[in-house]
Coordinates of all heavy atoms in Angstrom, one line a residue:
R1 N 0.8 -1.3 -0.1 CA 0.0 -0.1 -0.1 C 0.9 1.2 0.0 O 1.9 1.2 0.3 CB -1.0 0.0 1.2 CG -0.2 0.0 2.5 CD -1.1 -0.2 3.7 NE -0.6 -0.1 5.0 CZ -1.2 -0.3 6.2 NH1 -2.4 -0.7 6.1 NH2 -0.5 -0.2 7.3
I2 N 0.3 2.3 -0.2 CA 0.9 3.6 -0.4 C 0.7 4.5 1.0 O -0.4 4.4 1.5 CB 0.6 4.5 -1.5 CG1 0.9 3.8 -2.9 CG2 1.1 6.0 -1.6 CD1 0.5 4.6 -4.2
V3 N 1.8 5.2 1.3 CA 1.6 5.9 2.6 C 2.0 7.3 2.2 O 3.1 7.5 1.4 CB 2.4 5.6 3.8 CG1 2.2 6.4 5.0 CG2 2.1 4.0 4.1
T4 N 1.2 8.4 2.4 CA 1.6 9.8 2.1 C 1.8 10.6 3.4 O 1.2 10.2 4.5 CB 0.5 10.5 1.3 OG1 -0.7 10.6 2.0 CG2 0.3 9.8 0.0
G5 N 2.7 11.4 3.4 CA 3.0 12.3 4.6 C 4.1 13.3 4.3 O 4.1 13.9 3.1
Y6 N 5.1 13.4 5.2 CA 6.1 14.4 4.9 C 7.4 13.6 5.3 O 7.4 12.6 6.2 CB 5.9 15.6 5.8 CG 4.7 16.4 5.5 CD1 3.5 16.1 6.1 CD2 4.7 17.5 4.5 CE1 2.3 16.8 5.8 CE2 3.7 18.1 4.2 CZ 2.5 17.8 4.8 OH 1.4 18.5 4.4
Q7 N 8.4 14.0 4.7 CA 9.8 13.4 5.0 C 10.8 14.5 5.3 O 11.0 15.4 4.4 CB 10.2 12.4 4.0 CG 11.3 11.4 4.4 CD 12.6 11.9 4.7 OE1 13.1 12.8 4.0 NE2 13.3 11.4 5.8
G8 N 11.5 14.3 6.4 CA 12.6 15.2 6.7 C 12.2 16.5 7.4 O 11.7 16.3 8.5
G9 N 12.6 17.6 7.0 CA 12.2 18.9 7.7 C 13.7 19.5 7.9 O 14.7 18.9 7.7
E10 N 13.5 20.8 8.0 CA 14.9 21.7 8.2 C 15.0 22.1 9.7 O 14.0 22.6 10.3 CB 14.8 22.9 7.3 CG 16.0 23.7 7.3 CD 15.9 24.8 6.2 OE1 14.8 25.0 5.6 OE2 16.9 25.6 6.1
V11 N 16.1 21.8 10.1 CA 16.4 22.4 11.5 C 16.6 23.8 11.6 O 17.6 24.3 10.9 CB 17.7 21.7 12.2 CG1 17.9 22.1 13.6 CG2 17.4 20.2 12.2
V12 N 15.7 24.6 12.4 CA 15.9 26.1 12.4 C 16.0 26.3 13.9 O 15.0 26.3 14.7 CB 14.7 26.7 11.7 CG1 14.8 28.3 11.9 CG2 14.5 26.3 10.3
G13 N 17.2 26.7 14.4 CA 17.3 26.9 15.9 C 17.2 25.8 16.6 O 17.8 24.7 16.4
D14 N 16.1 25.6 17.5 CA 15.8 24.6 18.3 C 14.6 23.7 18.0 O 14.3 23.0 18.7 CB 15.8 24.9 19.8 CG 14.7 25.9 20.0 OD1 14.1 26.4 19.0 OD2 14.1 26.1 21.2
Y15 N 14.2 24.1 16.8 CA 12.9 23.3 16.3 C 13.2 22.8 14.8 O 14.1 23.2 14.1 CB 11.8 24.1 16.4 CG 11.7 25.3 15.5 CD1 11.1 25.3 14.3 CD2 12.3 26.6 15.8 CE1 10.9 26.4 13.5 CE2 12.2 27.7 15.0 CZ 11.6 27.4 13.8 OH 11.5 28.6 13.0
L16 N 12.2 22.0 14.4 CA 12.3 21.5 13.0 C 11.1 22.1 12.3 O 10.0 22.1 12.7 CB 12.0 19.9 13.1 CG 12.3 19.1 11.8 CD1 13.8 19.1 11.5 CD2 11.9 17.7 12.0
L17 N 11.5 22.7 11.1 CA 10.4 23.3 10.2 C 10.2 22.3 9.1 O 11.1 21.9 8.3 CB 10.9 24.6 9.7 CG 10.1 25.2 8.5 CD1 8.7 25.6 9.0 CD2 10.9 26.4 8.0
V18 N 8.9 21.8 8.9 CA 8.5 21.0 7.9 C 7.6 21.7 7.0 O 6.5 22.3 7.3 CB 7.7 19.7 8.4 CG1 7.4 18.7 7.2 CG2 8.6 19.0 9.4
R19 N 7.9 21.8 5.7 CA 7.2 22.6 4.7 C 6.3 21.7 3.9 O 6.5 20.5 3.9 CB 8.1 23.4 3.7 CG 9.1 24.3 4.5 CD 10.2 24.9 3.5 NE 11.3 25.5 4.0 CZ 11.3 26.8 4.4 NH1 10.2 27.6 4.2 NH2 12.4 27.4 4.9
Q20 N 5.3 22.3 3.1 CA 4.5 21.6 2.2 C 5.4 21.0 1.1 O 5.1 19.8 0.7 CB 3.5 22.5 1.5 CG 2.5 23.1 2.4 CD 1.5 22.1 3.0 OE1 1.6 21.0 2.7 NE2 0.7 22.5 3.9
A21 N 6.6 21.5 0.8 CA 7.5 20.9 -0.2 C 8.1 19.7 0.3 O 8.6 18.9 -0.5 CB 8.6 22.0 -0.5
D22 N 8.0 19.5 1.6 CA 8.6 18.1 2.2 C 7.6 17.0 2.1 O 7.8 15.9 2.5 CB 9.0 18.3 3.6 CG 10.2 19.2 3.7 OD1 11.1 19.1 3.0 OD2 10.1 20.1 4.7
A23 N 6.4 17.3 1.5 CA 5.4 16.2 1.2 C 6.0 15.0 0.5 O 6.9 15.2 -0.4 CB 4.2 16.7 0.5
H24 N 5.7 13.7 1.0 CA 6.4 12.6 0.4 C 5.5 11.5 0.4 O 4.4 11.4 1.1 CB 7.6 12.3 1.2 CG 8.5 11.4 0.6 ND1 9.3 11.5 -0.5 CD2 9.2 10.1 1.2 CE1 10.0 10.5 -0.8 NE2 9.9 9.6 0.2
A25 N 5.8 10.6 -0.6 CA 5.0 9.2 -0.6 C 6.0 8.0 -0.7 O 7.0 8.2 -1.3 CB 4.1 9.2 -1.9
W26 N 5.6 7.0 0.1 CA 6.5 5.9 0.2 C 5.4 4.6 0.2 O 4.3 4.8 0.2 CB 7.5 5.9 1.4 CG 6.7 5.9 2.7 CD1 6.5 4.9 3.6 CD2 6.4 7.2 3.4 NE1 5.9 5.4 4.7 CE2 6.0 6.8 4.7 CE3 6.6 8.6 3.1 CZ2 5.4 7.6 5.6 CZ3 6.1 9.5 4.1 CH2 5.5 9.1 5.2
S27 N 6.0 3.4 0.3 CA 5.2 2.3 0.3 C 5.4 1.5 1.6 O 6.4 1.7 2.4 CB 5.7 1.3 -0.9 OG 5.5 2.0 -2.1
E28 N 4.5 0.6 1.9 CA 4.7 -0.4 2.9 C 4.2 -1.8 2.4 O 3.3 -2.0 1.6 CB 3.7 -0.1 4.1 CG 4.1 1.1 5.0 CD 3.3 1.3 6.2 OE1 2.1 1.0 6.1 OE2 3.8 2.0 7.1
I29 N 5.0 -2.8 2.7 CA 4.6 -4.2 2.2 C 4.4 -5.0 3.6 O 5.0 -4.7 4.7 CB 5.8 -4.8 1.6 CG1 7.2 -4.8 2.4 CG2 6.0 -4.1 0.1 CD1 8.2 -5.7 1.5
W30 N 3.6 -5.9 3.5 CA 3.3 -6.8 4.7 C 4.0 -8.0 4.6 O 4.1 -8.8 3.6 CB 1.7 -7.0 4.7 CG 1.3 -7.8 6.0 CD1 0.9 -7.2 7.2 CD2 1.3 -9.2 6.2 NE1 0.8 -8.1 8.2 CE2 0.9 -9.3 7.6 CE3 1.5 -10.2 5.5 CZ2 0.7 -10.5 8.2 CZ3 1.3 -11.6 6.0 CH2 0.8 -11.7 7.5
I31 N 4.8 -8.3 5.8 CA 5.6 -9.5 5.9 C 5.0 -10.3 7.1 O 4.9 -9.6 8.2 CB 7.0 -9.1 6.1 CG1 7.5 -8.4 4.8 CG2 7.9 -10.3 6.1 CD1 9.0 -7.9 5.0
A32 N 5.0 -11.5 6.9 CA 4.3 -12.3 8.2 C 5.2 -12.2 9.4 O 6.6 -12.1 9.3 CB 4.3 -13.8 7.7
H33 N 4.6 -12.0 10.4 CA 5.3 -11.9 11.8 C 6.0 -10.6 12.0 O 6.5 -10.4 13.1 CB 6.2 -13.1 12.1 CG 5.7 -14.4 11.9 ND1 4.5 -14.9 12.7 CD2 6.1 -15.4 10.9 CE1 4.2 -16.2 12.1 NE2 5.2 -16.5 11.2
Q34 N 6.1 -9.8 11.0 CA 6.6 -8.4 11.1 C 5.7 -7.2 10.9 O 5.8 -6.2 11.4 CB 7.7 -8.2 10.1 CG 8.9 -9.2 10.2 CD 10.0 -8.9 9.2 OE1 10.4 -7.7 8.9 NE2 10.6 -9.9 8.7
G35 N 4.6 -7.6 10.2 CA 3.5 -6.7 9.9 C 3.9 -5.8 8.8 O 4.6 -6.2 8.0
W36 N 3.4 -4.5 8.7 CA 3.7 -3.6 7.7 C 5.1 -3.0 8.0 O 5.4 -2.4 9.0 CB 2.7 -2.5 7.7 CG 1.2 -3.0 7.2 CD1 0.1 -3.2 8.0 CD2 0.9 -3.3 5.9 NE1 -0.9 -3.6 7.2 CE2 -0.5 -3.6 5.9 CE3 1.5 -3.3 4.7 CZ2 -1.2 -4.1 4.8 CZ3 0.9 -3.7 3.5 CH2 -0.5 -4.1 3.5
V37 N 5.9 -3.1 6.8 CA 7.2 -2.6 7.0 C 7.4 -1.5 5.8 O 7.1 -1.8 4.8 CB 8.2 -3.7 6.6 CG1 9.6 -3.3 6.5 CG2 8.1 -4.8 7.5
R38 N 8.0 -0.4 6.4 CA 8.1 0.7 5.4 C 9.3 0.3 4.3 O 10.3 0.0 4.8 CB 8.6 1.9 6.2 CG 8.8 3.1 5.3 CD 9.0 4.5 6.0 NE 10.2 4.4 6.8 CZ 10.2 4.7 8.2 NH1 9.1 4.9 8.8 NH2 11.4 4.5 8.7
V39 N 9.0 0.8 3.0 CA 10.0 0.7 2.0 C 9.9 1.8 1.2 O 8.7 2.3 0.7 CB 9.7 -0.5 1.0 CG1 10.8 -0.6 0.0 CG2 9.6 -1.8 1.8
D40 N 10.9 2.7 1.0 CA 10.8 4.0 0.3 C 11.7 3.7 -1.0 O 12.9 3.8 -1.0 CB 11.5 5.2 1.2 CG 11.2 6.4 0.5 OD1 10.8 6.5 -0.6 OD2 11.5 7.5 1.2

């Protein structure tokens, strides 16, 4: 299946700034006894 969200972000001072440009899509595959495993 596909997962959408954000990936990364930029460290600014003491916090992390995540922009709309950091939007990202990756995949998950199901493996027995492990469940859904992220694959990018």
Side-chain angles (χ1 to χ4, degrees):
R1 61 190 186 183
I2 293 177
V3 182
T4 61
Y6 299 88
Q7 202 288 320
E10 183 174 6
V11 178
V12 182
D14 61 345
Y15 68 95
L16 191 71
L17 170 63
V18 182
R19 307 177 188 272
Q20 296 293 355
D22 294 314
H24 194 57
W26 60 94
S27 300
E28 285 183 337
I29 61 173
W30 188 85
I31 302 176
H33 308 298
Q34 297 184 41
W36 290 105
V37 177
R38 180 174 63 233
V39 181
D40 190 350

